[in-house]
Amino acid sequence: MMEKREKVSKTTLTIFIIFFIFTLLQFLSPIFLPSNTYTDLSGLVAVSDNQESINSMPLPWNIAYGFGDRLCHQRADRSFFINGNQMPFCARCTAIFIGLVIGLIVILFYRIELNERFIFFIFLSLVPIGIDGTGQLFGLWESSNLSRTLTGIILGIPFGIAIGIIIDEIKIIYKSKIS
């Protein structure tokens, strides 16, 4: 069930602002760094492969690239480039962040009930990324950045909404405990 909110949740608005700024930073960073400077950041997830390059970047651009270095493989062939620079996250991860922001915008203005239908919707959003990733893993096809972007947004939107629902549920639990 989806109903219009009477007022925006300050907590959800704060989370939205954080995600929005971080996502915007991913697009601004390659623009404001010197052209054609960061062209292959390929590495492993959970490993700081590019720490030396990132340390040479000025604030705040090094923040986005630092998170990308630790949270994403940053394969150049699976990333978008702006200003001749590779973006801090691959196409799929960038799209997931965009989807999270879109989902948080939705939940800012609408209250959505946490129920079986929404949980099914969450699981359904995993199907495209699962099919695309599994097919690529087994060599059935090589995903394009377009398919990575689409599957990332499809996953990100419901998870952004879920973040808002979780915030609402925590508030309800907290209010019932202090009453």
Side-chain angles (χ1 to χ4, degrees), residues 69-80:
D69 194 29
R70 289 171 192 84
L71 300 176
C72 177
H73 57 67
Q74 293 182 307
R75 282 186 43 179
D77 62 324
R78 295 183 181 178
S79 299
F80 292 117

Side-chain angles (χ1 to χ4, degrees), residues 52-118:
E52 190 176 314
S53 295
I54 292 165
N55 287 342
S56 71
M57 295 176 188
L59 277 169
W61 320 128
N62 61 351
I63 294 170
Y65 280 97
F67 276 104
D69 194 29
R70 289 171 192 84
L71 300 176
C72 177
H73 57 67
Q74 293 182 307
R75 282 186 43 179
D77 62 324
R78 295 183 181 178
S79 299
F80 292 117
F81 284 73
I82 300 175
N83 189 33
N85 292 317
Q86 182 178 340
M87 290 185 66
F89 287 86
C90 71
R92 191 178 328 263
C93 290
T94 300
I96 290 170
F97 280 107
I98 292 168
L100 287 169
V101 169
I102 293 168
L104 285 164
I105 289 171
V106 169
I107 207 70
L108 279 174
F109 298 104
Y110 293 94
R111 184 178 307 277
I112 298 173
E113 185 181 335
L114 178 62
N115 57 25
E116 297 83 15
R117 183 187 280 163
F118 185 75

Side-chain angles (χ1 to χ4, degrees), residues 10-20 104 163 167:
K10 290 177 189 168
T11 308
T12 306
L13 179 61
T14 302
I15 299 295
F16 162 76
I17 290 169
I18 291 167
F19 273 98
F20 178 78
L104 285 164
I163 290 169
I167 292 168

